[in-house]
Amino acid sequence: MREHSEGSYLGDDYLQMPEQTGTVGYYRLYSPSGALFSVNPIYENDISLSSFLIEHVQPPHSARDYITHIAQRERIKPSGIKMYITVPGSNPEDLKTELPRAYYRLFGVAPSSTGTQRPIPSHHPLYEDDLSLSTLFVDHVPPPHRAKDYVACIAEREQIHHSRITLYLSAKAIGVSMTAEAQEIEDLEEIMAAETTSSTSESDPIMVNVQLDDGSLRLGTKGEPLRLSVKARVRKLADVLLK
């Protein structure tokens, strides 16, 4: 007689239990600087995305009930969870295909080297012969997708302190005259629309200025907080270079 862990024994065959069906909810896990791995991922190539049966959430189905259910599934404390509701742009069943990407390029700026600004290498370059260009999945940027959330995500990926990063979007990305200068994102609380970031490309990426230390473009201290006096001088130089 064979043993089986599921179903009921019925002669030489087994009566298999039917698969559960119901209404499926989807969620993605984030830390303040990017996507987190789920204990129960749906796909091998997108392991921050998971799902659950809504019927398994205890009534009355308040936000707290959903948080409690997800916390139990992921083995984390409910007190550490904030939940954001979004309107998905695509069916989660289609996420086996490529996720939307945003492209960015890293530049180093040193305040005392007049006119000095050059591309610096990314930890995740797209090409061996273009080390400053990289990309990230838009869905892996933590909600609510403010400029500061993009800064945090890029800072984590590139091992740069967030205080050293300034973001710029091209005229094309922000939908103004092509003769306009690149625009600094000054309000870090500003929401960066998925349509804007997903429309970036290898030839038209988000421009990321990395403010380096006085008198040098060396990268040794890029992970340390930027001194306020240095930050002011670098911002002034960046304004000059972009004119």
Side-chain angles (χ1 to χ4, degrees):
M1 181 183 297
R2 294 173 296 170
E3 294 183 355
H4 200 282
S5 60
E6 294 180 355
S8 302
Y9 180 69
L10 185 61
D12 289 332
D13 298 317
Y14 287 86
L15 179 63
Q16 296 295 325
M17 299 297 291
E19 292 186 2
Q20 291 180 314
T21 59
T23 307
V24 179
Y26 295 86
Y27 64 92
R28 191 183 294 279
L29 296 179
Y30 297 93
S31 73
S33 57
L36 286 176
F37 298 157
S38 170
V39 175
N40 305 283
I42 301 175
Y43 306 122
E44 293 182 358
N45 64 344
D46 189 10
I47 54 179
S48 68
L49 181 69
S50 190
S51 65
F52 62 96
L53 291 178
I54 291 177
E55 288 79 3
H56 288 182
V57 179
Q58 69 183 41
H61 287 191
S62 66
R64 184 182 298 275
D65 298 326
Y66 279 92
I67 287 174
T68 300
H69 184 73
I70 291 171
Q72 290 173 345
R73 285 177 53 82
E74 299 295 339
R75 305 169 192 169
I76 53 182
K77 294 181 178 180
S79 59
I81 295 178
K82 290 183 179 180
M83 188 167 66
Y84 295 84
I85 304 298
T86 60
V87 178
S90 60
N91 188 334
E93 295 293 344
D94 296 332
L95 290 180
K96 294 177 184 178
T97 59
E98 187 74 7
L99 293 171
R101 292 175 177 265
Y103 293 84
Y104 64 92
R105 187 180 294 279
L106 299 176
F107 295 91
V109 180
S112 65
S113 303
T114 304
T116 300
Q117 181 187 49
R118 64 171 173 82
I120 58 175
S122 166
H123 280 273
H124 307 277
L126 280 179
Y127 304 112
E128 292 183 358
D129 60 350
D130 190 2
L131 298 179
S132 67
L133 181 66
S134 189
T135 184
L136 55 83
F137 292 124
V138 173
D139 289 352
H140 287 184
V141 177
H145 287 193
R146 298 161 297 184
K148 68 189 296 183
D149 299 321
Y150 276 86
V151 168
C153 187
I154 293 172
E156 178 73 15
R157 283 174 54 82
E158 301 295 346
Q159 300 177 27
I160 301 169
H161 195 273
H162 64 84
S163 65
R164 294 180 178 269
I165 290 178
T166 305
L167 301 183
Y168 292 82
L169 287 175
S170 70
K172 178 181 177 181
I174 59 179
V176 298
S177 170
M178 291 300 293
T179 60
E181 300 172 358
Q183 298 294 309
E184 176 186 350
I185 303 176
E186 297 182 352
D187 183 5
L188 293 181
E189 296 296 331
E190 177 184 343
I191 299 294
M192 294 181 66
E195 294 81 2
T196 299
T197 54
S198 297
S199 67
T200 60
S201 64
E202 295 179 16
S203 60
D204 190 25
I206 299 170
M207 290 161 278
V208 182
N209 269 11
V210 180
Q211 303 172 15
L212 301 176
D213 287 335
D214 187 25
S216 173
L217 285 178
R218 290 176 297 183
L219 305 177
T221 59
K222 68 176 184 176
E224 300 175 3
L226 188 69
R227 299 189 303 274
L228 289 178
S229 58
V230 175
K231 189 168 186 176
R233 282 180 286 168
V234 172
R235 184 177 296 275
K236 183 176 180 180
L237 175 61
D239 291 340
V240 171
L241 292 172
L242 287 169
K243 288 183 178 179

